[in-house]
Amino acid sequence: MENKAIIGIGEALWDMLPAGRQLGGAPANFAYHMSQFGYDAAAISAVGNDTAGDDLLAELDARGLKHLMPRLGKPTGTVEVTLDAAGIPQYDIRRDAAWDFIPMTLELRNTAPACRCVCFGSLAQRSEVSRATINAVLDAMPDGALKVFDINLRQDYYGRDVIESSLRRCRILKINDEETHAVARLFGLDTDDERQICMHLKQQYGLQAVILTCGTDGSHVFHEGGVSSLPTPRVEVADTVGAGDSFTAAFCAALLAGRTIRRAHEIAVATSAYVCTQHGAMPRLPRQITASIAYGE
């Protein structure tokens, strides 16, 4: 297996839950699962010169995940999670965090031209500094590299300009059913049909594929050869934290290993279903899943 650099770039933070804090951030989740499939993966972000930053890096080290996370004079990112009267979680993603200022370091500048795959989202692009770094990485990557925009719309930290710029730079878009409607409103699309929205985005921006996830209602991949649709397996759910990131990682890992879009979709569905049966975003994947890519089983 050819094994050039794989990166997830964006936010690195602690989710401050009522039961205690938990490591958060889609880029690290993506990179961790890519590493489980045998790739040389790293999480790219920034943390503060504080105890929370010490603990976050120690947690990544304990999981054996490579990272490029400079220490900055800004606080390590946190998300305050509270429950309303109905028990529904509410999120407050703190501003002016270290990951809002991800620098284009010499090491990152040297990594980008050798990067085989990157996953990025919209949240870290809420700040001009991190947006510029993400764009510089994308623009420095080699022709043919797999650039995946896992849109991850959060609160009000997005706008049409960021989404459109990202769509022009990526090859694959991953979006969920709720996010399609938000994007349709931003782009003034006269439809609320999720499939039509995905097909429009694919055609408008010349994308290789658009992945639409619909929770328990299944998932779809719109690609040049048609549409792959699969149901969501029924499993005993421990929690759904990080399930979407594991889906993205498994899909990319399979594509890079030469699997078809349909087979990559199947592996992604199986991976995210397994992650839902485990607590936390970074469980160890069983061999029957990782071997499906390494050995084509």
Side-chain angles (χ1 to χ4, degrees):
M1 179 187 296
E2 187 181 3
N3 202 5
K4 295 180 182 177
I6 311 291
I7 62 173
I9 184 169
E11 65 275 10
L13 48 83
W14 289 106
D15 287 322
M16 309 303 286
L17 304 168
R21 71 181 185 182
Q22 181 172 306
L23 183 65
N29 295 339
F30 170 83
Y32 176 73
H33 289 299
M34 286 294 292
S35 71
Q36 292 199 80
F37 285 110
Y39 291 93
D40 183 16
I44 311 298
S45 189
V47 296
N49 280 309
D50 48 25
T51 301
D54 294 340
D55 294 344
L56 192 151
L57 296 182
E59 181 78 12
L60 296 179
D61 289 338
R63 295 177 182 276
L65 179 60
K66 292 182 179 181
H67 50 81
L68 294 177
M69 297 191 184
R71 310 297 295 267
L72 306 180
K74 296 286 183 177
T76 297
T78 58
V79 179
E80 297 292 333
V81 184
T82 56
L83 302 179
D84 64 16
I88 305 299
Q90 307 294 317
Y91 302 96
D92 178 15
I93 304 173
R94 295 300 173 87
R95 292 180 178 271
D96 205 35
W99 57 264
D100 284 313
F101 301 91
I102 303 171
M104 189 63 173
T105 62
L106 179 60
E107 188 172 8
L108 184 53
R109 195 178 304 278
N110 291 336
T111 297
C115 186
R116 190 181 184 195
C117 174
V118 63
C119 184
F120 67 105
S122 63
L123 180 55
Q125 296 187 69
R126 69 180 183 176
S127 75
E128 293 183 7
V129 175
S130 291
R131 186 187 318 147
T133 298
I134 290 169
N135 287 337
V137 169
L138 292 169
D139 293 345
M141 289 173 64
D143 293 340
L146 192 58
K147 303 175 184 179
V148 182
F149 180 36
D150 191 349
I151 193 167
N152 278 335
L153 301 181
R154 296 290 184 268
Q155 294 179 202
D156 60 346
Y157 296 131
Y158 61 89
R160 177 168 178 163
D161 56 340
V162 165
I163 294 174
E164 193 158 36
S165 172
S166 298
L167 288 171
R168 294 192 185 283
R169 284 181 164 89
C170 77
R171 293 179 61 194
I172 293 178
L173 166 67
K174 180 174 173 289
I175 192 168
N176 67 33
D177 46 357
E178 294 180 357
E179 290 166 339
T180 60
H181 300 292
V183 171
R185 289 192 297 271
L186 281 176
F187 284 63
L189 303 182
D190 188 23
T191 180
D192 60 0
D193 185 291
E194 294 154 5
R195 293 189 175 213
Q196 288 185 16
I197 294 167
C198 289
M199 288 300 297
H200 171 83
L201 295 174
K202 179 185 177 303
Q203 294 168 0
Q204 179 71 23
Y205 296 96
L207 303 177
Q208 177 183 346
V210 175
I211 301 168
L212 170 64
T213 57
C214 304
T216 57
D217 293 328
S219 56
H220 313 274
V221 182
F222 303 87
H223 58 100
E224 296 171 0
V227 182
S228 173
S229 297
L230 289 172
T232 299
R234 296 193 176 195
V235 297
E236 185 173 341
V237 176
D239 66 52
T240 60
V241 177
D245 302 323
S246 71
F247 186 112
T248 308
F251 187 86
C252 292
L255 278 191
L256 293 176
R259 305 296 174 260
T260 65
I261 291 247
R262 177 67 176 190
R263 183 61 182 136
H265 189 188
E266 291 170 347
I267 294 169
V269 167
T271 302
S272 60
Y274 176 79
V275 170
C276 285
T277 69
Q278 308 296 304
H279 289 288
M282 297 184 181
R284 293 298 305 176
L285 298 176
R287 181 171 171 77
Q288 61 263 34
I289 289 179
T290 58
S292 64
I293 290 177
Y295 304 105
E297 296 175 359

